[in-house]
Amino acid sequence: MTDAPRRTALDATHRALGATMTDFAGWDMPLRYSSEREEHVAVRTRAGLFDLSHMGEITVTGPQAADLLDYALVGNIGGVKTGRARYTMICEAGGGILDDLIVYRLAEQEYMVVANASNAQVVLDALSARAGGFDAAIRDDRDGYALLAVQGPESPGILKKLTDADLDGLKYYAGLPGTVAGVQALIARTGYTGEDGFELFVRPSDAVALWEALTEAGRDSGLVPCGLSCRDTLRLEAGMPLYGHELTTATTPFDAGLGRVVKFEKTSNGGDFVGREALAAAAERAETTPPRKLVGLIAQGRRVPRAGYPVVTADGTVIGEVTSGAPSPTLGKPVAIAYVDAAHATPGTEGVCVDIRGSHEPYEVTALPFYKRQK
Amino acid sequence: MSNPQQLRYSKEHEWLSGAEDGVSTVGITEHAANALGDVVYVQLPEVGSTVAAGETCGELESTKSVSDLYSPVDGEIAEINEDVVNDPSLVNTAPFEGGWLFKVKISGEPGELLSADEYAAFIQS
């Protein structure tokens, strides 16, 4: 990335709010506005407002849009009802994960695929390469949308002040077009924080007006602007994977404990999809002789494990690797997600440590997530 | 952000107080604390250990990263701030006061410490 970082439609807003900015996947994004810990707590207890305009939107349309996506992705995308969304993945022929995605079915013959910023081009290229022979069109809509998210228990109340859309009827992982604060939006109820919340896809030219309206509507509920730093600790507590950390081309969905996203029973395209054979073998391997499993680790001390640190036994034998780690504001202790040899991956396994810059710190093996909201 | 005039500063963003009974207090600047983000863990040198100017003597861990802590001077550690070990957020909330890190009996100075104004110019550059 030698180009100057891209700026979202809300760039001036972030700077006016005094955000600490960071380069993220070629975008200049807010890392935090004040204290990342306070932002984290706000989302857990009240509400937070995020700019996620770096995410990559790709629109797929046409009579065979569903068939194309069924072939290109691991999920049963043709089975998604209009107005609903699905968490899915796109894999290499060898089964390695190219990206994890959310796919919205906007109409019978129209889907929006949302890719991670760092993978948007990869996903676009893979979809294009896999589109041969399908009566469907793929459109790069990255510049067509700004994306704002309101996350946290107060988010439904805040949004209701600004829209007549039927939010109560909007289920988790659904999306509907509507008007919010006078702005045309796709209103989706998804999130990456472990809390209830909404993501609003709007024209970039409407982003500032919507941000300001949400800020005003959330003032009494304690809504605060939130950066990517707290987003990372929120998703970590919620046990949600992050591409480049838990998910890479070296891992299959089964390695990551997310085999459920692969639908071998889909019938479109004669049941064929990219990666099918390799993933069937990976499913078998995960069932019988799993190499490593993705687990949670909770610190007994106060030192924070980081991605790449070795997981070791007390005598220093390497039994795994940390993929994400951070101090958990909710638990009050450092936590990590790690790939650990199956023999040591059962929750409660004794004698598991993380090598933190040379010292072996004891950790408790636990199931994910670390945090689950009370519904 | 204002850097107290009576302190001196290193280019590694430590501050150093004037000596009282030959002992100076060391902490990190507000600029450094802001750059780190929320500090969650502080590892300080042991009382009685020897530190050297510009060399690592501990570490500061924040939500996002870990940074080495340097001593701005040569000397012997006279005291460490147990409060900041127990509550590392003091580094963020009061970097020049309750968030001080250690006291050092100075045996030598590198001679390149900055005044408050020089440090302000340094972090602007």
Side-chain angles (χ1 to χ4, degrees):
Chain A
M1 304 297 290
T2 50
D3 303 342
R6 300 179 64 180
R7 296 182 167 194
T8 77
L10 290 158
D11 191 77
T13 303
H14 301 317
R15 290 171 199 278
L17 288 164
T20 300
M21 304 296 285
T22 187
D23 178 83
F24 185 84
W27 291 79
D28 216 6
M29 298 298 293
L31 184 66
R32 60 175 177 269
Y33 298 85
S34 58
S35 146
E36 50 230 330
R37 178 171 295 259
E38 284 169 24
E39 292 168 25
H40 181 110
V41 171
V43 173
R44 285 274 176 264
T45 57
R46 306 187 307 273
L49 177 59
F50 295 83
D51 176 12
L52 305 175
S53 301
H54 60 308
M55 302 295 284
E57 298 85 2
I58 301 164
T59 304
V60 182
T61 55
Q64 289 191 297
D67 290 342
L68 162 58
L69 291 171
D70 273 340
Y71 172 71
L73 312 181
V74 300
N76 178 7
I77 309 303
V80 177
K81 293 187 172 63
T82 298
R84 299 306 302 267
R86 185 68 49 85
Y87 175 75
T88 186
M89 294 187 189
I90 182 167
C91 288
E92 299 172 316
I97 302 167
L98 286 170
D99 200 9
D100 60 340
L101 309 165
I102 295 181
V103 178
Y104 295 88
R105 190 168 202 168
L106 304 180
E108 183 62 25
Q109 298 189 6
E110 182 179 4
Y111 289 88
M112 181 169 69
V113 176
V114 181
N116 284 301
S118 53
N119 293 327
Q121 193 61 50
V122 170
V123 173
L124 196 61
D125 293 347
L127 286 176
S128 302
R130 296 171 189 188
F134 289 97
D135 184 4
I138 295 165
R139 187 173 73 231
D140 178 357
D141 261 343
R142 277 178 286 182
D143 294 335
Y145 291 103
L147 174 56
L148 281 65
V150 191
Q151 295 280 310
E154 298 287 344
S155 56
I158 292 167
L159 210 52
K160 275 176 192 169
K161 292 182 180 176
L162 299 175
T163 183
D164 297 332
D166 176 19
L167 297 183
D168 292 331
L170 189 69
K171 297 191 180 79
Y172 187 54
Y173 266 76
L176 87 171
T179 306
V180 182
V183 168
Q184 277 297 305
L186 171 67
I187 308 168
R189 196 167 202 159
T190 57
Y192 193 53
T193 60
E195 299 302 327
D196 192 7
F198 301 87
E199 298 190 310
L200 305 167
F201 296 85
V202 299
R203 279 186 294 266
S205 55
D206 289 329
V208 172
L210 182 58
W211 178 280
E212 287 172 355
L214 288 164
T215 301
E216 189 53 42
R219 198 175 299 283
D220 298 341
S221 325
L223 172 134
V224 298
C226 288
L228 294 182
S229 183
C230 79
R231 187 172 161 82
D232 192 41
T233 49
L234 288 159
R235 69 93 194 165
L236 178 58
E237 286 182 350
M240 294 172 169
L242 174 62
Y243 196 88
H245 288 255
E246 287 73 36
L247 313 177
T248 68
T249 51
T251 50
T252 71
F254 295 94
D255 299 321
L258 291 165
R260 60 182 166 77
V261 305
V262 182
K263 302 298 182 193
F264 293 113
E265 64 277 15
K266 31 180 177 177
T267 53
S268 51
N269 311 305
D272 189 29
F273 61 92
V274 177
R276 182 183 180 108
E277 265 181 54
L279 289 167
E284 177 72 19
R285 200 169 53 238
E287 194 64 40
T288 51
T289 50
R292 283 183 171 177
K293 287 188 170 175
L294 202 58
V295 299
L297 299 173
I298 300 178
Q300 290 161 20
R302 296 201 301 182
R303 302 185 76 190
V304 184
R306 307 285 176 184
Y309 287 10
V311 181
V312 296
T313 58
D315 66 5
T317 309
V318 176
I319 53 167
E321 184 176 305
V322 171
T323 51
S324 296
S328 161
T330 306
L331 277 67
K333 302 173 184 172
V335 299
I337 300 178
Y339 280 105
V340 174
D341 290 352
H344 300 271
T346 308
T349 302
E350 300 280 323
V352 172
C353 302
V354 176
D355 181 337
I356 297 187
R357 298 182 296 281
S359 78
H360 295 173
E361 302 281 333
Y363 274 76
E364 178 193 343
V365 179
T366 175
L368 294 167
F370 300 104
Y371 165 85
K372 212 174 172 76
R373 76 184 157 107
Q374 304 297 314
K375 295 188 189 176
Chain B
M1 193 180 321
S2 70
N3 300 298
Q5 287 293 330
Q6 74 278 17
L7 302 176
R8 289 181 300 148
Y9 298 86
S10 78
K11 289 185 176 178
E12 279 85 30
H13 308 284
E14 279 84 35
W15 55 261
L16 179 79
S17 75
E20 290 176 30
D21 305 329
V23 174
S24 293
T25 306
V26 173
I28 66 162
T29 64
E30 188 175 358
H31 171 79
N34 286 346
L36 279 173
D38 292 338
V39 176
V40 295
Y41 173 78
V42 177
Q43 189 185 31
L44 297 175
E46 287 182 15
V47 172
S49 65
T50 306
V51 292
E55 286 190 14
T56 310
C57 64
E59 60 185 32
L60 297 166
E61 189 136 39
S62 66
T63 298
K64 279 312 219 192
S65 65
V66 60
S67 311
D68 285 331
L69 172 65
Y70 300 91
S71 173
V73 290
D74 301 334
E76 186 184 311
I77 300 296
E79 189 183 339
I80 61 167
N81 184 355
E82 294 290 353
D83 290 346
V84 88
V85 172
N86 294 325
D87 180 9
S89 71
L90 287 169
V91 174
N92 296 104
T93 54
F96 292 114
E97 289 112 21
W100 65 274
L101 298 175
F102 58 83
K103 295 186 178 180
V104 58
K105 190 169 189 298
I106 299 177
S107 60
E109 282 195 26
E112 52 194 35
L113 294 174
L114 310 174
S115 70
D117 292 346
E118 287 168 336
Y119 178 71
F122 169 70
I123 59 179
Q124 290 301 323
S125 63

